[in-house]
């Protein structure tokens, strides 16, 4: 990964967990639908690549998608939505 400004990735790694913690109550209540909508936005047809190896760039969405904290906070509503769909 090419880093033009070393402060940006460091700041990104610090601020994303802070933003997720601030949004924690919302994610615990409605995390699964919000996460699905966000994934559709990130991986949509007109979206840029999350990791662009050819140009040596990584999108900020990569850090959000790879966050374990986001996975943990969306797990309760994800489990409830699986129960509602019949375990699919």
């Amino acid at each position: 990964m090419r880093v033009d400004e070393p402060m940006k990735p460091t700041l990104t790694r610090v601020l994303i967990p802070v933003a997720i913690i601030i949004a924690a109550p919302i994610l615990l209540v409605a995390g699964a639908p919000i996460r699905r909508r966000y994934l559709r936005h990130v991986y949509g047809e007109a979206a840029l690549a999350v990791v662009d190896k050819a140009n040596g760039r990584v999108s900020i969405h990569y850090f959000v998608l790879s966050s374990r904290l986001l996975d943990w906070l969306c797990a309760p509503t994800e489990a409830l939505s699986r129960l509602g769909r019949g375990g699919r």
Side-chain angles (χ1 to χ4, degrees):
M1 176 171 80
R2 182 178 69 217
V3 177
D4 299 329
E5 298 176 32
M7 191 60 166
K8 282 185 181 179
T10 306
L11 193 60
T12 301
R13 287 188 184 122
V14 170
L15 290 180
I16 287 176
V18 171
I20 291 173
I21 289 171
I22 290 171
I26 296 168
L27 291 172
L28 284 170
V29 173
I34 291 172
R35 188 165 188 232
R36 273 192 230 110
R37 212 173 280 140
Y38 179 70
L39 288 172
R40 269 189 255 135
H41 167 73
V42 170
Y43 291 117
E45 292 177 17
L48 298 173
V50 176
V51 177
D52 186 10
K53 288 184 180 181
N55 294 325
R57 299 195 188 275
V58 176
S59 172
I60 193 167
H61 300 295
Y62 172 79
F63 297 106
V64 176
L65 294 174
S66 64
S67 172
R68 290 279 179 184
L69 184 59
L70 183 66
D71 290 340
W72 291 336
L73 290 174
C74 292
T77 53
E78 193 68 46
L80 286 175
S81 68
R82 270 192 229 118
L83 286 174
R85 290 188 308 230
R88 288 184 248 155

